[in-house]
Amino acid sequence: MTIFVTGGAGFIGANFVIDWLAAGHEPVVNLDKLTYAGNLENLVSLKGNKKHVFVQGDICDQGLVEKLLAEHQPRAVINFAAESHVDRSIHAPEDFIQTNIVGTFRLLEAVRAQFAKMNDAQKSAFRFLHVSTDEVYGSLSLTDPAFAETKRYEPNSPYSASKAASDHLVRAYHHTYGLPVVTTNCSNNYGPYQFPEKLIPLIIHNALVGKPLPIYGDGQQIRDWLYVGDHCSAIRAVLERGRLGEVYNIGGDNERANLDTVKALCAILDIARPRSDCKAYADQMTFVNDRPGHDRRYAIDARKIIAEVGWRPAETPESGFHKTVKWYLDNDAWVKNVTSGTYRNWVAQQYQ
Ligand code: NAD
Ligand code: TYD
C-alpha cells in the first residue's frame, strides 16, 4: 500500500511525510510543484529512502495526477498543496485561485476517475483527506465562542476565500459522487521548515540578523497556535478514525495576541542566543501598517476531534516555542538558503 501526498515539500507537508515514514508507515508518493514555498531541502533527511517517491508537478495537471494514481494505486490522498500566505494573496490573488480552487478541482476529478476503477474493498478503504484552515470561518470578536465545525463560512482574504471554495468542492464530491472525503480545518501552525514569510519564523530570523520585528497594526490580533507535529498527528488520527464526509477542526487551545507571541519568542532568544550588545531582542519590535482586512481573532473549538477521534496535542505552547527557536538556531544553513534570491524581493515589496 501507498499514500499519495500533494504539497509534501512545503512546511506542513514535509513535516507530515517525515513523521509518517519515521513511524514506519507505508510508502509515500509526494507530488509538489516546488513553488517558492516548496523546498527539496526540507526532505533531505529522506534522501535514498526507497519509501519516498518525489514527483515535481502541479495538482492542476489532471493527466499527470491520473497517471500517478493509476501507477501507485494509493489507499489515501492527502491534499496539502496550496498557496498559503495571506499577504501574498493580497498582492497577487490569481495563483491562489488557480492552485487552491482549480487545482483542488483537478485533483478531485483525477481521484474520482481512479475511485471509479476500484473494487469494493479498495473503495471502502480509500480516503481523500483535504487539509484546510480555520481562516475560512472569518474573524471572531473577543467574546465570540471559538470556531466549531458548524460555524458559518465567512472568509475575508483571497487566501481564505480560495480555501473555502476548495472545502466546498471537497464536500460536494462526497455528496454528489460518494467520494470518501474528510476535511480538517486547523489553526496557525509553527515549527521546523516554516518559510520565514510567516510570523514566527520571520520574527526569529529578523531578530537574529538585527532587523526590525514588524508588528501589524496594534499587535492585538489573536491567533491560536499549534505545533506542526501536533497538526500532523491529528491528520494521521483523522485519516484512521475520522468519519466519512465529516469536518474536524484542529487547534491547541493556545490563543495569543501577536504582540505576546513576539515577546515570548524574544524572551527565548534572549537566553538561547543573547544579542552581542546584551540588549533585549524586544527592542527590535516595530509597529508597521496593518494588513488590509486583517482578521482580529481566530480560536478553535477542538472538542469534536478530541471526543470522536481521540486526538490531543503533545506540545505545550512553551515546549513548542522552545523547540522551534532551537530548530531555527540549529539550522541556519537552511534559513540562509531560503532567505536568498526571490525572498528578498518579497521582503522589499511587503515591508518597505
Ligand atoms: P506552504 O506554502 O509551506 O507549502 C505549500 C506546498 O504546496 C509547497 O511545497 C508548494 O510548492 C506546493 N504547491 C503549491 N502549489 C502547488 C500546485 N499547484 N501543485 C503542487 N504543489 C503545489 O504551506 P503550508 O503552511 O505547509 O500549508 C499546507 C496546507 O495546510 C495548505 O493547504 C494550507 O492551506 C493548510 N494550512 C496551513 C496552516 C499554516 O499555519 N501554515 C494552517 C492550517 C492549514
Ligand atoms: P501569518 O503568519 O501570516 O499567518 P495568518 O495571517 O495566516 O494568520 O500571520 C500571523 C499573524 O501575525 C497575523 O495576525 C498577521 C501578523 N503578522 C505581523 O504582525 N507581522 C508580520 O510581519 C507578519 C508576517 C504577520
Side-chain angles (χ1 to χ4, degrees), residues 202-211 213 269 275 281 284:
L202 181 97
I203 292 302
I204 298 170
H205 172 61
N206 281 16
L208 293 171
V209 298
K211 284 193 184 165
L213 311 180
L269 280 168
R275 267 172 51 159
Y281 283 105
Q284 289 166 233

Side-chain angles (χ1 to χ4, degrees), residues 106-163:
R106 293 282 170 218
L107 183 65
L108 284 165
E109 279 291 278
V111 172
R112 180 161 82 93
Q114 181 64 23
F115 187 68
K117 292 185 221 151
M118 293 178 193
N119 63 33
D120 286 349
Q122 289 168 324
K123 277 186 174 159
S124 71
F126 186 77
R127 296 287 180 275
F128 180 94
L129 193 150
H130 181 59
V131 180
S132 192
T133 166
D134 62 350
E135 304 193 23
V136 298
Y137 296 121
S139 184
L140 297 169
S141 74
L142 278 180
T143 52
D144 284 333
F147 298 134
E149 289 78 0
T150 48
K151 164 80 175 65
R152 187 159 74 102
Y153 272 35
E154 291 177 294
N156 292 319
S157 71
Y159 164 64
S160 55
S162 65
K163 289 296 290 187

Side-chain angles (χ1 to χ4, degrees), residues 19-85:
D19 290 358
W20 178 269
L21 292 174
H25 296 303
E26 64 260 68
V28 178
V29 178
N30 183 352
L31 175 69
D32 195 295
K33 187 177 172 183
L34 295 181
T35 66
Y36 79 92
N39 184 356
L40 284 179
E41 280 190 41
N42 298 353
L43 300 165
V44 81
S45 64
L46 301 178
K47 214 171 173 185
N49 187 333
K50 291 196 171 60
K51 289 174 81 179
H52 179 237
V53 178
F54 182 81
V55 180
Q56 182 172 7
D58 192 330
I59 57 167
C60 298
D61 184 347
Q62 194 180 320
L64 171 66
V65 179
E66 281 176 4
K67 185 176 136 296
L68 291 169
L69 295 179
E71 187 182 335
H72 296 282
Q73 311 234 343
R75 64 144 175 122
V77 171
I78 306 172
N79 183 29
F80 293 96
E83 290 292 335
S84 68
H85 187 32

Side-chain angles (χ1 to χ4, degrees), residues 85-87 135 188 197-199 202 214-216 221 223 225 258 291 294 298 351:
H85 187 32
V86 173
D87 292 317
E135 304 193 23
N188 286 66
E197 63 184 357
K198 307 276 169 64
L199 180 70
L202 181 97
I215 316 268
Y216 295 167
Q221 305 82 7
R223 296 295 181 264
W225 295 98
N258 291 338
R291 170 190 282 174
H294 196 171
Y298 303 141
Y351 295 101

Side-chain angles (χ1 to χ4, degrees), residues 29 61 65 86 98 106 115-116 129 148 154 161 179 193 207 209 216 224 235-236 262 283 296 303 306 322 328 337:
V29 178
D61 184 347
V65 179
V86 173
Q98 189 58 29
R106 293 282 170 218
F115 187 68
L129 193 150
E154 291 177 294
L179 211 64
Y193 303 111
V209 298
Y216 295 167
D224 191 350
I235 291 171
R236 291 195 300 275
V262 174
D283 290 355
R296 198 68 183 161
R303 280 178 295 183
I306 291 169
H322 273 92
Y328 281 89
N337 249 323

Side-chain angles (χ1 to χ4, degrees), residues 157-174:
S157 71
Y159 164 64
S160 55
S162 65
K163 289 296 290 187
S166 70
D167 293 6
H168 291 322
L169 282 169
V170 171
R171 177 189 159 86
Y173 272 62
H174 175 66

Side-chain angles (χ1 to χ4, degrees), residues 99-110:
T99 285
N100 299 2
I101 306 180
V102 179
T104 302
F105 164 66
R106 293 282 170 218
L107 183 65
L108 284 165
E109 279 291 278

